[in-house]
Amino acid sequence: MDIWSSIDGFSEHLASERRLSPQTVRAYTSDLRQLADFATGRDVELVDGVTLDLLRDWLWAASEAGSSKATLARRTATAKAWSAWLLRTGRVDSDVAARLRSPKTGRTLPRVVSRGPFDDLLAGLEDRAASGEPNALRDLAVVELLYASALRVSELCGLDRDDLDLDRLTVRVTGKGDKERVVPFGVPAQSAIVDYLTSARPQLVARAAANDRGPTPGAALFLGARGGRLGPRAVYTLVARLLDAVPGGGPAGPHALRHTAATHLLDGGADLRAVQELLGHASLATTQIYTHVSVERIKESYRNAHPRA
């Protein structure tokens, strides 16, 4: 089998059998296409011509071209998953990538917004929403729910109106691997969502209909500028703009609100396993990074306040 055909089959396997997100499938596919280009340059076109040495040369070339350790680690994981799939499906006789070693990337702590600055951020959104402007009402509801329920941006954008239970203060979320979970939210988020549903959403629907443009809103909870379902890019732009004015380093996207919510919960005494359930993590080890964040916050306070720190 030629390498390019195997990539198509592997991508279909990731999407339909492993049910990975479209973004993850695209990342794996992109890595393998670059590997295929590299192999073609070495006159290797069939999967059984790919060797461990060729894979190491591919990664070395990427490193020399300036790829980060994180990128190299991802490419290594891609090659290992692809090679294992080739063996499992009988397309090759051996798993050539089994001995491929991934570079250590180190662990970077996620960005977390402190309580004070985050309260100021929400106060600014509330001031804007007080005008009754539809986008401002929607933006407040979006940020409140992202933070209240520690949602991934894809989970928020995928919500339908029927997923909300405003009486019980819960929302049904479809996470990675199409796994559903029910997570709570608080009264401030409830209030912002009710205002959005009552005042803003009907205006956004009417605006799109009047202009005769864009897709129909359907069952989507949050609507974008054209009247269709709000997309991840619009949410990223919103949150990044808000966090630009907030002190702190690290990525300024919607995931920062998820990190912030998890850390604030642990700082407030929440059980680690409860936070794991809220976040939808398959492994407790993934959730444990937030304990490191909390410890770092304690250390920073100690260094700033203790006379003999």
Side-chain angles (χ1 to χ4, degrees):
M1 171 180 255
D2 69 89
I3 297 174
W4 291 100
S5 297
S6 78
I7 294 172
D8 293 337
F10 181 64
S11 298
E12 177 63 26
H13 158 72
L14 295 177
S16 62
E17 296 181 33
R18 293 185 56 183
R19 304 178 77 175
L20 300 183
S21 70
Q23 295 92 332
T24 302
V25 174
R26 281 196 296 269
Y28 272 65
T29 303
S30 176
D31 287 340
L32 289 175
R33 285 174 178 166
Q34 292 182 50
L35 172 59
D37 284 337
F38 183 85
T40 300
R42 298 288 186 91
D43 295 324
V44 175
E45 296 184 357
L46 302 179
V47 291
D48 56 10
V50 176
T51 64
L52 179 59
D53 285 340
L54 185 142
L55 293 174
R56 286 171 173 167
D57 287 348
W58 172 58
L59 293 172
W60 178 85
S63 177
E64 289 296 296
S67 294
S68 67
K69 287 185 177 180
T71 297
L72 294 174
R74 191 197 66 227
R75 289 189 177 185
T76 303
T78 297
K80 290 173 76 71
W82 174 66
S83 178
W85 175 79
L86 289 174
L87 176 63
R88 190 168 62 253
T89 56
R91 289 169 168 84
V92 294
D93 296 327
S94 62
D95 183 354
V96 297
R99 291 165 51 204
L100 200 61
R101 298 185 64 179
S102 176
K104 293 183 178 180
T105 61
R107 170 169 278 182
T108 57
L109 297 179
R111 180 173 184 175
V112 173
V113 183
S114 300
R115 284 290 302 276
F118 194 76
D119 288 342
D120 292 342
L121 181 154
L122 289 174
L125 285 171
E126 289 169 355
D127 289 342
R128 284 186 55 229
S131 67
E133 202 280 320
N135 288 335
L137 287 166
R138 180 204 60 207
D139 291 349
L140 175 61
V142 163
V143 173
E144 282 279 14
L145 189 57
L146 274 174
Y147 173 69
S149 297
L151 300 182
R152 300 179 178 95
V153 65
S154 59
E155 294 171 346
L156 177 118
C157 293
L159 291 176
D160 292 334
R161 286 173 293 174
D162 291 345
D163 292 325
L164 284 172
D165 189 330
L166 291 169
D167 294 325
R168 296 186 178 182
L169 300 181
T170 59
V171 59
R172 183 176 65 249
V173 177
T174 302
K176 291 185 176 181
D178 286 341
K179 293 180 180 178
E180 285 193 357
R181 67 186 191 280
V182 176
V183 295
F185 54 85
V187 172
Q190 177 199 41
S191 177
I193 293 168
V194 168
D195 288 344
Y196 161 74
L197 289 174
T198 303
S199 301
R201 193 179 186 280
Q203 291 186 63
L204 293 173
V205 172
R207 182 185 297 175
N211 294 331
D212 192 25
R213 61 187 176 90
T216 58
L221 173 60
F222 292 113
L223 304 183
R226 302 183 63 215
R229 186 180 294 274
L230 185 68
R233 180 171 296 183
V235 179
Y236 187 96
T237 300
L238 164 65
V239 177
R241 187 180 70 244
L242 293 172
L243 294 183
D244 273 347
V246 177
H255 229 60
L257 301 188
R258 180 170 160 89
H259 298 324
T260 296
T263 304
H264 288 179
L265 281 166
L266 289 170
D267 286 347
D271 177 74
L272 186 62
R273 288 201 175 274
V275 175
Q276 177 192 3
E277 291 293 325
L278 178 74
L279 297 174
H281 285 161
S283 169
L284 188 63
T286 308
T287 315
Q288 285 176 330
I289 188 173
Y290 298 105
T291 64
H292 296 298
V293 174
S294 294
V295 169
E296 286 300 313
R297 287 159 63 88
I298 293 171
K299 287 181 178 178
E300 182 179 359
S301 297
Y302 178 85
R303 288 191 293 265
N304 290 337
H306 199 288
R308 297 182 68 82

